[in-house]
Amino acid sequence: MAKYDYDLFVIGGGSGGVRAARVAASLGKRVGIAEEYRFGGTCVIRGCVPKKLYVYASQFPEHFEDAAGYGWSVPPARFDWRRLVANKDREIARLEGLYRKGVEGAGGEAFATRAVLIDAHTIRLEGENRTITADQILIATGGRPNPHAALPGHEHCIFSNEAFDLPELPKAIVIAGGGYIAVEFANIFHGLGVQTTLTYRGKEILGRFDMDVRRALHKTMEEKGIRILCHEIFTAIDKRSDGRLDAHLQGGEVLTVDQVMLALGRIPNTEDLGLEAAGVERGRTGEIIVDDFSRTNVANIWAIGDVTNRVQLTPVAIHEAMCFVETAFKNNPTRPDHDCVPTAVFSQPEIGTVGLSEDDAAKRFAKLEIYRASFRPMRYTLSGRQEKMLMKLVVDAETRRVVGAHVLGPDAGEMAQLLGISLKARLTKDDFDRTMAVHPTAAEELVTMYKPSYLVVNGERVE
Ligand code: NDP
């Protein structure tokens, strides 16, 4: 008779938890997984997937406009928000089913309930009204939007969770934040015809990205009609008698809008999980502290994904899950590799990026060659759209290694995936130069920039 009910019990059915449960079960382990809301987690249910569907929806007005230059007459278009929400719900329900089925198909047991640790090997399944025991426990409970409770009137605000399912499309919205979520949703709402304002506390949106890309995106978003207020924060949100909201800004302006959305970062879901009872340590922001192998201070308890607040990205959580299975069940200790993670911001235009920004690279390397091209993509020639595409390679002059690649423009996310391979393989600018261009594409610029646009020597730009 086995000592525990399960070899592995996973708390949290998002991308990381489900992957770990499925792969461990397929190895023949006795696996259980509990999810209190919906299998699929943030990414599938109220994050990446619905977001991308809404990005597509919001791009149609520009496609209709661009069609004219290619000879098409498009009759005035109408948009039905509720139909979009309903179609999104159908697709999400389909994916949710696949996630659950994936675990069960591999032999795992899925529970639709909250799970709470009682001690290091015991878990209470609240909805089932029983306790189970497990040899290894994996916590993958993810995160949630920072509620920003210090803001007077924060209770009137929405977050990305609610933005997907608003009963009506607002006429006007103001979004606070300058990160991925704020920027992506500003573009989505604007594209759907909502009067959109973005407020950001810092100097320029998208803090961790290359400054050229940040500035160029800011300019293009403003040209499209999105109002962006930097160095600005809300001081209070008031509900008016007509049901609309007054957002008071530090600078004195009051914006009257239908919705105020806060996208001010995300915090780990670690409350009321029984972490204290099990002796699991948390850090300053509530995140579960783990070692290089995703193990907590309690030897049989592990944590992966956003709850550990390392890199808050779905593919990273999945990678951490795979490494966890290698370490815990295949006798092959494997550290997740968080270096050189490619990423995309599904703004409009899109950002695709991997490696170091020019500013960060300048702190690490004495001499950089910067290759930079800004041009109007071919698809905009007949449409007359003036938007420019930007491509930039940051090269360590000494080794010739490409240490950063940044793209702003259509399909930049797709390009970032492939650039990610090149940079992970530590390819040099000479490898890029040796690669034949694919013509006519926008991406060919990445292998045809022969001369540096400028150098950066000891942190100083040299023309
Ligand atoms: P981000 O960390 O990207 O951005 C948070 C923003 O909120 C920053 O601009 C930050 O400003 C600002 N901020 C934080 N605290 C305050 C405050 N007290 N007052 C005013 N402004 C504040 O978080 P998001 O919420 O946008 O997204 C969460 C995570 O989800 C991201 O880090 C990303 O990893 C992931 N994500 C990924 C996506 C993708 O891959 N396409 C899409 C969406 C989310 P400052 O810059 O000054 O710190």
Side-chain angles (χ1 to χ4, degrees):
M1 172 104 176
K3 192 167 167 206
Y4 300 106
D5 301 330
Y6 294 95
D7 298 317
L8 169 67
F9 200 92
V10 181
I11 305 180
S15 303
V18 164
R19 175 61 67 94
R22 180 162 66 76
V23 178
S26 71
L27 295 175
K29 302 294 168 194
R30 294 166 307 139
V31 176
I33 178 169
E35 164 58 49
E36 68 173 339
Y37 181 53
R38 295 177 67 181
F39 279 91
T42 300
C43 171
V44 172
I45 306 297
R46 46 195 180 187
C48 323
V49 174
K51 181 273 306 292
K52 188 90 187 269
L53 295 173
Y54 283 20
V55 169
Y56 287 137
S58 68
Q59 287 172 336
F60 281 96
E62 288 195 355
H63 296 331
F64 298 146
E65 266 174 46
D66 290 355
Y70 285 93
W72 291 93
S73 311
V74 182
R78 277 187 39 242
F79 173 64
D80 183 341
W81 166 254
R82 288 185 191 175
R83 187 163 3 136
L84 172 65
V85 174
N87 289 348
K88 175 269 294 179
D89 284 343
R90 226 185 14 251
E91 174 59 7
I92 297 313
R94 185 183 73 83
L95 293 173
E96 183 186 4
L98 290 179
Y99 265 65
R100 193 174 170 139
K101 237 194 240 157
V103 173
E104 291 173 340
E109 251 185 290
F111 299 94
T113 173
R114 184 170 179 80
V116 177
L117 291 162
I118 303 294
D119 62 38
H121 288 284
T122 312
I123 293 171
R124 178 159 182 79
L125 302 180
E126 293 200 327
E128 305 256 320
N129 215 5
R130 67 181 168 114
T131 54
I132 56 94
T133 57
D135 183 13
Q136 304 295 313
I137 293 173
L138 178 67
I139 302 171
T141 46
R144 64 182 186 283
N146 180 346
H148 211 51
L151 174 69
H154 68 96
E155 65 278 12
H156 304 308
C157 301
I158 59 165
F159 300 90
S160 53
N161 290 351
E162 293 79 26
F164 289 114
D165 296 303
L166 292 173
E168 279 173 29
L169 190 63
K171 288 198 173 49
I173 191 167
V174 56
I175 302 175
Y180 284 81
I181 295 179
V183 168
E184 290 180 343
F185 271 95
N187 283 280
I188 288 171
F189 280 118
H190 169 76
L192 295 178
V194 180
Q195 188 195 327
T196 304
T197 306
L198 184 68
T199 64
Y200 172 50
R201 68 176 171 185
K203 186 170 75 169
E204 186 55 278
I205 56 172
L206 290 174
R208 284 159 290 179
F209 289 78
D210 187 88
M211 190 51 98
D212 259 335
V213 168
R214 295 163 66 186
R215 287 204 191 105
L217 176 64
H218 182 141
K219 182 164 172 281
T220 311
M221 284 171 64
E222 282 190 329
E223 284 165 359
K224 285 179 194 282
I226 299 171
R227 189 168 177 227
I228 303 178
L229 305 172
C230 289
H231 290 303
E232 193 55 277
I233 54 167
F234 297 145
T235 51
I237 311 297
D238 287 336
K239 187 142 196 159
R240 295 155 49 103
S241 55
D242 62 4
R244 300 188 85 203
L245 299 171
D246 281 338
H248 298 262
L249 299 176
Q250 197 171 40
E253 196 178 341
V254 181
L255 300 171
T256 302
V257 292
D258 304 290
Q259 297 288 356
V260 176
M261 176 172 160
L262 305 182
L264 304 170
R266 294 175 60 83
I267 53 176
N269 283 329
T270 49
E271 292 88 358
D272 304 323
L273 264 183
L275 295 175
E276 300 76 11
V280 175
E281 277 176 12
R282 287 188 291 170
R284 203 176 47 82
T285 62
E287 80 281 9
I288 295 181
I289 299 172
V290 289
D291 68 9
D292 285 355
F293 298 91
S294 303
R295 192 193 291 263
T296 71
N297 61 307
V298 180
N300 70 308
I301 302 184
W302 312 69
I304 56 165
D306 286 4
V307 76
T308 63
N309 203 8
R310 287 177 282 184
V311 182
Q312 296 178 359
L313 293 172
T314 298
V316 172
I318 292 172
H319 169 69
E320 288 167 0
M322 297 302 281
C323 294
F324 156 73
V325 172
E326 288 292 322
T327 305
F329 295 114
K330 294 173 85 175
N331 199 20
N332 175 29
T334 306
R335 287 186 176 84
D337 178 358
H338 295 118
D339 184 43
C340 209
V341 175
T343 179
V345 182
F346 293 99
S347 45
Q348 299 172 37
E350 223 166 272
I351 293 176
T353 189
V354 56
L356 300 173
S357 66
E358 178 185 325
D359 289 346
D360 286 343
K363 289 178 198 141
R364 293 214 208 160
F365 301 100
K367 187 173 173 190
L368 298 173
E369 292 175 2
I370 307 294
Y371 297 80
R372 189 183 181 286
S374 173
F375 57 95
R376 192 149 70 119
M378 190 177 180
R379 70 153 81 168
Y380 295 155
T381 52
L382 296 197
S383 73
R385 189 167 292 284
Q386 293 304 314
E387 248 175 75
K388 290 243 176 109
M389 191 148 187
L390 175 70
M391 294 196 178
K392 184 168 172 182
L393 296 178
V394 180
V395 176
D396 169 26
E398 194 191 334
T399 60
R400 307 280 300 141
R401 190 157 71 83
V402 180
V403 294
H406 312 281
V407 181
L408 174 76
D411 304 322
E414 305 289 339
M415 291 179 215
Q417 183 64 82
L418 304 179
L419 285 166
I421 302 172
S422 311
L423 268 71
K424 195 72 191 162
R426 303 174 77 81
L427 297 188
T428 63
K429 181 65 171 62
D430 303 326
D431 296 315
F432 276 60
D433 292 345
R434 266 198 299 275
T435 304
M436 196 64 74
V438 178
H439 186 71
T441 62
E444 68 183 303
E445 285 294 324
L446 291 166
V447 296
T448 55
M449 295 189 281
Y450 293 119
K451 234 174 109 260
S453 309
Y454 56 92
L455 306 178
V456 178
V457 182
N458 297 326
E460 295 293 325
R461 179 169 167 156
V462 181
E463 297 297 330

